[in-house]
Amino acid sequence: MTAGNFSSDLAFQRLRELRPILLKLHKALLEAERESYEQANGRIRTKGEYFQLVIGHEWFSWLRPISKFIVQIDEVLMSKQPQPPEKAEELLQEARDLLQTSATGTALRERYHVAVQHHPSIAAMHAKVSELIEE
């Protein structure tokens, strides 16, 4: 095995480890947003109503890039075609770019920052994700 293959294998392994943590983080972020939405707008009555809000309402729009990113990971990890060695590294870099917290910047970064600051479970998951995606 060459050093390049070993590096690529490690990147794919990190991606496989990242996926379930990212799914839990995404779910926790959705739940935090649901609570916030309900405080401002009243109770969401059904799962169908919640689903429609998540996919179509501006309130939840900042979470959609994370949803799309999880789909990208799934497509790569579940592909029947061999993936180029660089693909896992590209996705890890995208995770680094996507999951930054900042009090200013994009809606995702700002709202993610608030969630990390106000929810200890989200902060713990963010720390695990950060550890996996660090260079």
Side-chain angles (χ1 to χ4, degrees), residues 11-97:
F12 277 104
Q13 179 58 36
R14 286 170 56 200
L15 204 55
R16 284 187 286 276
E17 292 173 21
L18 173 63
R19 185 187 177 278
I21 298 167
L22 192 54
L23 282 171
K24 287 178 186 176
L25 174 61
H26 186 254
K27 182 178 180 184
L29 290 167
L30 281 167
E31 285 303 313
E33 277 306 291
R34 179 183 181 147
E35 289 173 14
S36 179
Y37 178 89
E38 287 181 332
Q39 286 176 354
N41 299 288
R43 188 172 164 265
I44 299 171
R45 300 191 191 289
T46 66
K47 289 181 181 179
E49 180 184 358
Y50 178 50
F51 178 72
Q52 290 302 315
L53 289 167
V54 168
I55 64 170
H57 196 282
E58 183 64 28
W59 192 285
F60 295 89
S61 65
W62 71 274
L63 289 165
R64 291 188 196 118
I66 298 172
S67 305
K68 290 176 184 175
F69 181 64
I70 293 169
V71 170
Q72 286 180 293
I73 291 173
D74 287 347
E75 288 172 349
V76 168
L77 293 179
M78 296 176 188
S79 175
K80 295 183 194 265
Q81 303 296 323
Q83 295 296 304
E86 307 81 33
K87 191 61 183 175
E89 276 301 335
E90 288 171 11
L91 286 171
L92 290 170
Q93 183 57 51
E94 188 172 340
R96 288 179 203 108
D97 295 340

